[in-house]
Amino acid sequence: MSILVNKQSKILVQGFTGTEGTFHATQMIEYGTNVVGGVTPNKGGTLHLDRPVFNTVAEAVKETGANVSIIFVPPAFASDAIMEAANAGIELVVCITEGIPVQDMVKAKLYLQGTKTRLIGPNCPGVITAGECKVGIMPGFVFKKGKIGIVSKSGTLTYEASDQVAKAGLGVSTAVGIGGDPIIGTTTREALEMFMNDPETEAVVMIGEIGGGMEAEAARWYKENGKKPVVGFIAGQTAPPGRRMGHAGAIVGGADDTAAAKMKIMEECGITVVSSPADIGATMAKIIKK
């Protein structure tokens, strides 16, 4: 088992024939992901990477039965690509694009309400179910199959956590990079809840960063509903107040947005918090062995 994607998932690449789409689709195919085709307007009817290209997502879904889409579309058109995928009935949309205007994402998020589509991202590394399916830009070789779920706002720390979990003799069920923008599709709490309900995931690594209230929301939900151990880390502990760090959403806007405040809330809610990402693997191994 896993969450969100597995070897049965049929993946469509939006922005398939562009430089980014081509490079990452190639890596996904090499990993063993079932990429069934792609979309690039005005290139429908051609082949790319031995997969069919379509003009629209609706055509692609009709022909291939795709149920997951990954978006490599420039920022100005990415929110339209998200809405087009939802309109075509795609169940999971993973948007890699960075720099989408906030106003565009407000519109896209509102559009998704009432549809069956779940959005991961934007500005995220994607989702990977180890050994089965990679829908994103992460280095596949880092993710070894196992029973630890990872949910992270940071792409790089997703890879770091996975590497540590593997080196500790554990592995990853699914890793979800939710993205670091102010407005994203799937929240930390939603991903955590999916892992809690996944019979194959035994414990979860939860990585957050300064800015926003998602980690506190997830921690409070966990306090009431958590039934598996969680190891947590918050990036940005040395960030000066009011300075945006890296991600567009990583800015301290209030007292609860700081790393210290989030770590305190997480600890109070029963999450094992580490102060350095270097301790994630060893701490998880210790908890699992108890």
Side-chain angles (χ1 to χ4, degrees):
M1 274 292 284
S2 58
I3 67 166
L4 299 170
V5 296
N6 55 37
K7 55 177 172 288
Q8 271 79 49
S9 301
K10 295 180 176 179
I11 320 299
L12 191 67
V13 182
Q14 290 175 257
F16 189 31
T17 59
T19 310
E20 295 289 319
T22 300
F23 177 80
H24 290 294
T26 302
Q27 305 278 314
M28 285 159 56
I29 291 164
E30 284 172 2
Y31 191 77
T33 304
N34 184 18
V35 176
V36 295
V39 175
T40 301
N42 303 320
K43 291 197 178 175
T46 62
L47 276 180
H48 185 61
L49 307 180
D50 291 328
R51 305 306 197 267
V53 183
F54 301 91
N55 288 321
T56 68
V57 179
E59 283 172 36
V61 169
K62 191 177 169 195
E63 291 296 319
T64 65
N67 57 358
V68 177
S69 153
I70 182 166
I71 294 176
F72 295 102
V73 171
F77 313 107
S79 66
D80 285 342
I82 292 168
M83 292 186 283
E84 184 189 354
N87 192 46
I90 294 276
E91 290 163 25
L92 179 72
V93 176
V94 177
C95 185
I96 304 299
T97 309
E98 184 174 0
I100 301 175
V102 173
Q103 214 169 352
D104 288 5
M105 276 312 299
V106 169
K107 192 167 74 170
K109 185 136 182 173
L110 278 171
Y111 185 86
L112 291 179
Q113 287 175 5
T115 71
K116 65 174 185 178
T117 302
R118 173 178 292 283
L119 172 66
I120 303 289
N123 185 15
C124 75
V127 182
I128 183 167
T129 290
E132 292 191 36
C133 183
K134 171 172 108 114
V135 188
I137 60 173
M138 64 285 286
F141 69 90
V142 171
F143 297 84
K144 305 285 184 260
K145 196 154 187 61
K147 298 196 170 181
I148 309 299
I150 297 175
V151 52
S152 174
K153 262 195 195 174
S154 160
T156 318
L157 288 173
T158 308
Y159 320 149
E160 175 64 26
S162 176
D163 189 46
Q164 284 195 34
V165 162
K167 283 174 178 165
L170 308 163
V172 172
S173 53
T174 302
V176 186
I178 60 171
D181 276 6
I183 294 175
I184 57 171
T186 298
T187 64
T188 306
R189 184 195 66 73
E190 289 169 335
L192 187 63
E193 189 172 346
M194 284 187 267
F195 281 127
M196 288 293 147
N197 293 327
D198 174 32
E200 297 292 310
T201 298
E202 288 182 359
V204 182
V205 174
M206 178 176 128
I207 298 172
E209 58 189 26
I210 58 167
M214 278 199 292
E215 296 85 355
E217 181 206 11
R220 288 178 182 125
W221 178 89
Y222 176 76
K223 186 180 182 182
E224 299 300 319
N225 307 280
K227 46 190 185 285
K228 299 173 187 177
V230 174
V231 172
F233 172 72
I234 301 291
Q237 291 166 37
T238 57
R243 177 91 46 89
R244 179 164 66 79
M245 305 295 287
H247 282 153
I251 183 166
V252 175
D256 282 354
D257 288 4
T258 64
K262 290 188 182 195
M263 289 160 77
K264 185 168 180 279
I265 291 166
M266 285 159 65
E267 277 177 341
E268 286 168 355
C269 293
I271 292 170
T272 304
V273 178
V274 294
S275 55
S276 164
D279 299 331
I280 291 170
T283 304
M284 181 58 83
K286 230 180 273 176
I287 289 170
I288 290 286
K289 284 182 181 122
K290 272 183 187 172

